[in-house]
Amino acid sequence: MSDWESNEDTWDGAAEGAGQGASVLHEVPEPVTDGEGRDFIRAIVEDDLRTGKNGGRVATRFPPEPNGYLHIGHAKAICIDFGVASQYGGTCNLRYDDTNPVVEDVEFVDAIEQDIRWLGFQWDAKYYASDYFEQIYAFAEHLIQKGLAYVDSLSEAEIREYRGNFYKKGVESPYRDRTVAENLDLFRRMRAGEFPDGAHVLRAKIDLNSQNMNLRDPVLYRIKHAHHHRTGDAWCIYPMYDFAHPLSDAIERITYSLCTLEFEAHRPVYDWFIRECDAFPSRQIEFARLNITYTVLSKRRLLRLVNEGHVKGWDDPRMPTLAGMRRRGYSPASIRNFVERVGIAKNDSLVDVALLEHAVREDLNASSPRVMGVLKPLKLVIDNYPEGQVEWLDAPYHPEDPAAGSRKVPFSKVLYVEQDDFREDPPKKWFRLAPGREVRLRYACLFKCTDVIKDAGGQVVELHGVWDPESRGGTSPDGRKVPGTLHWVSADQAVNAEVRLYDRLFAKENPNDVEPGKDFLAYLNPDSLEALPGCKVEPAIADLPAGSRVQFERLGYFCVDPDSRPGAPVFNRTVTLKDTWAKIEAKQDVPPAPAAQAPAPQPDPSVPQAAVAIPARADLKPLAPEITIDEFAKVDLRVAIVREAGLVDGAKKLLRLAVDLGEGRLRTVFAGIRAFYPEPSVLVGRPVIVVANLKPREMKFGTSEGMVLAGGGGDAVFVATFDGPVQPGDPVT
């Protein structure tokens, strides 16, 4: 890609220098939300509506380049662009910025439209930047006639050298002072196809000494003898993105050009083109792009993953593309809810992927029918059940939604259960199958394991046991408690299925943070896909259409893959359920304290507790003066969830936190804990305690709307948090 084409990939933040995750942070001149709970974009829109700007009209646009598939980062932009327009009775156009014919394809156009509709939005009008090629060309001639554009005949490398860099001022091209007549003649001959690629470019004449590189005589047009997917061979010169984009906005009379934060440095040139071309004054407003842990969103890197075969196409369920997420089983509502929870901010941060997974679980929990499937089958034989008998049990699709209905599940002498649900030598708190242990078979009965069959290699291949005929439905008349409940399928009626277990594509939390000498591909997770053939599922789901979502009880949420065939379904794991046993086992694996460690001193039972001598800290900070309980009651302590966390440029001690107190908006809180949390992203998703009724404080870096409580001293200070489930806004007492 040419140096002057570096912006072709930046719509979604993929200009490689700006696309390295959350390492580039910006000061925030205004809080995330205003005092009325509006995000800063909606606050601007409402202020304009109040003053009658733009005649009370709201017009936005979603402007993808048709050179790739949309991803979760685009979903945030779509929700903002369409959401703002819808909320204020405005319009939102879909406009393809198709100015680079070399990388554009109709395949991407079709995929983009499918993704937008799937996400739940519909554009008011559809346009292409190529619709405006003639008008944009006329704008270019207008700049030439004003003496503000010139044809440059330097090579690409020479232009790069002449423009300088951040530390070196630019140098005028020897062609910068060509006359208006000469520039018009050359530019028209460029259009006529008289010159080969790279022979000339058209540049704006702005400011070669600007610290903003975008203002150092940016390229407006380049020669490309390439076939365009819409205009064919009618053009051999194409406008640059930075030139075509603001003018396309102006032609459509877009009132708010909403884009991600890396375009903040492009805003001066955006405004310059509009002003000098006497075009409609669209306003560019930037918001923070979406960065997610264990994920890359750079279009170039996603393209490498596809082209080099690291994934199986743009819709691979491990990809962060909307096509991949749809195939994996993510619902449109879950993605919209995730975007809403992340909020709209002005500082880049790294969002924990667990928040996305939580949003998916939350939505699928309410909407997915419950069914049973066994991924790693282990045969179970009920010795005292009649041979050849099959009972069809009624099982609800959703335990909390009777309207979801039910289905019939076959029950017989031979079943399949999960291999992982049996332990021959079970540990403590094991409530699943083991020799002599009784469990509940979901919807069916109580079963006790009496015998274990192994193969020649010592592997368990079959379990035998007995059922209690009086326990139909899973309860017994004698009221005995059986804590373990297992899922199962009947062997004779089970349908063979392939199940694909997907995990995160990258093993490193921030794969965009590439160490020297390494490639981001080095962080690929080798265990991101495990395909399990020979799984067994109940017959009710044998022929579900592709895209159907279900919950395999006790296992997770799954989606029918398009690779399914009649009688041979393929299921993709969307997201796991919370595995309580894994948590218990992890705790049991914690090594014990060293034996040589002295036991903690115990108080003498003969001495009243108050009289036990407790040494005082020599460095203890004096306690504050006493207050009454009534005074303390004025302090409103609330649970808040950290949604974003980032550094503050120019502040050595501060972190900027965006916290959710359940108010329907995010608050900005500045906390002096930077030294103790050098990687702020570890705080994202963590519940913290916030002084919620502290008067907002105007600081150099923005407005702080509360205080986060932390404790410790010296080199160890920790944010106060919780070890149990809490909700944003819960009172802390």
Side-chain angles (χ1 to χ4, degrees), residues 301-314 319:
R301 289 181 172 175
L302 295 178
L303 190 62
R304 282 191 61 191
L305 290 172
V306 173
N307 289 346
E308 296 177 16
H310 302 289
V311 295
K312 300 175 181 179
W314 288 98
M319 288 281 277

Side-chain angles (χ1 to χ4, degrees), residues 410-430:
F411 179 77
S412 63
K413 184 181 184 70
V414 182
L415 311 176
Y416 287 117
V417 294
E418 292 286 353
Q419 294 176 15
D420 293 341
D421 280 340
F422 175 79
R423 294 281 181 93
E424 191 169 13
D425 183 18
K428 293 181 180 179
K429 297 185 180 180
W430 178 263

Side-chain angles (χ1 to χ4, degrees), residues 671-682:
I673 54 175
R674 178 169 178 170
F676 313 106
Y677 294 93
E679 179 48 64
S681 64
V682 301

Side-chain angles (χ1 to χ4, degrees), residues 2-20:
S2 303
D3 175 66
W4 55 68
E5 290 181 297
S6 61
N7 293 330
E8 293 294 342
D9 196 32
T10 60
W11 184 87
D12 61 337
E16 212 63 35
Q20 302 301 310

Side-chain angles (χ1 to χ4, degrees), residues 90-108:
T91 60
C92 183
N93 295 340
L94 169 62
R95 182 180 69 243
Y96 294 102
D97 279 326
D98 56 341
T99 57
N100 186 4
V102 175
V103 295
E104 294 159 0
D105 196 285
V106 175
E107 171 195 353
F108 300 128

Side-chain angles (χ1 to χ4, degrees), residues 68-376:
Y69 280 65
L70 300 183
H71 55 59
I72 184 68
H74 294 107
K76 177 179 179 179
I78 291 170
C79 290
I80 294 173
D81 289 331
F82 285 88
V84 167
S86 175
Q87 181 174 343
Y88 299 104
T91 60
C92 183
N93 295 340
L94 169 62
R95 182 180 69 243
Y96 294 102
D97 279 326
D98 56 341
T99 57
N100 186 4
V102 175
V103 295
E104 294 159 0
D105 196 285
V106 175
E107 171 195 353
F108 300 128
V109 172
D110 295 339
I112 287 169
E113 294 180 14
Q114 179 185 8
D115 287 344
I116 295 173
R117 289 193 179 102
W118 174 75
L119 203 54
F121 299 99
Q122 179 61 47
W123 49 90
D124 289 278
K126 181 172 71 174
Y127 300 110
Y128 295 80
S130 55
D131 294 337
Y132 313 132
F133 276 178
E134 197 65 56
Q135 290 167 274
I136 295 171
Y137 177 85
F139 281 128
E141 285 208 353
H142 177 69
L143 292 177
I144 293 173
Q145 291 167 343
K146 291 177 66 173
L148 295 177
Y150 62 97
V151 174
D152 195 348
S153 303
L154 292 176
S155 68
E156 177 185 343
E158 289 171 330
I159 290 176
R160 186 186 304 115
E161 177 66 25
Y162 275 60
R163 291 185 73 198
N165 54 44
F166 184 81
Y167 305 99
K168 179 182 175 183
K169 292 183 177 180
V171 177
E172 289 190 6
S173 165
Y175 306 103
R176 196 173 194 261
D177 293 326
R178 278 172 165 160
T179 65
V180 169
E182 187 177 6
N183 283 318
L184 281 174
D185 175 66
L186 285 170
F187 188 49
R188 289 167 181 171
R189 290 166 63 193
M190 286 169 59
R191 175 177 181 174
E194 293 187 23
F195 306 110
D197 291 5
H200 306 288
V201 295
L202 183 70
R203 297 177 66 182
K205 189 183 292 186
I206 306 180
D207 183 3
L208 287 167
N209 293 321
S210 175
Q211 286 295 97
N212 187 332
M213 293 295 295
N214 296 298
L215 292 174
R216 293 192 185 181
D217 289 12
V219 173
L220 309 184
Y221 269 88
R222 75 287 206 201
I223 302 172
K224 272 184 183 269
H225 291 274
H227 185 82
H228 191 279
H229 73 105
R230 294 190 72 249
T231 61
D233 299 318
W235 293 86
C236 62
I237 59 172
Y238 292 93
M240 297 301 299
Y241 179 92
D242 268 3
F243 185 54
H245 183 77
L247 296 177
S248 297
D249 283 345
I251 291 169
E252 294 175 20
R253 300 180 68 80
I254 299 300
T255 57
Y256 304 102
S257 179
L258 309 177
C259 57
T260 43
L261 200 58
E262 64 270 18
F263 285 100
E264 186 173 33
H266 296 250
R267 193 196 320 150
V269 73
Y270 180 102
D271 293 340
W272 190 91
F273 287 139
I274 285 178
R275 182 175 63 253
E276 298 301 336
C277 290
D278 303 317
F280 177 81
S282 300
R283 178 178 179 180
Q284 177 175 306
I285 304 173
E286 307 88 14
F287 57 87
R289 59 175 291 170
L290 183 60
N291 299 295
I292 306 177
T293 55
Y294 302 99
T295 308
V296 298
L297 295 179
S298 160
K299 194 180 296 182
R300 295 177 187 175
R301 289 181 172 175
L302 295 178
L303 190 62
R304 282 191 61 191
L305 290 172
V306 173
N307 289 346
E308 296 177 16
H310 302 289
V311 295
K312 300 175 181 179
W314 288 98
D315 67 343
D316 187 302
R318 294 167 292 180
M319 288 281 277
T321 56
L322 296 183
M325 290 181 165
R326 178 167 59 248
R327 185 172 180 178
R328 184 161 175 167
Y330 284 30
S331 65
S334 66
I335 294 176
R336 295 195 304 268
N337 292 340
F338 167 70
V339 169
E340 183 177 359
R341 290 182 181 185
V342 168
I344 303 175
K346 284 283 283 183
N347 58 296
D348 279 334
S349 62
L350 194 61
V351 178
D352 195 329
V353 70
L355 180 60
L356 173 61
E357 293 168 348
H358 171 73
V360 173
R361 286 191 190 95
E362 191 174 54
D363 182 66
L364 296 185
N365 178 58
S367 60
S368 298
R370 274 57 169 171
V371 296
M372 292 192 289
V374 176
L375 306 191
K376 297 178 181 179

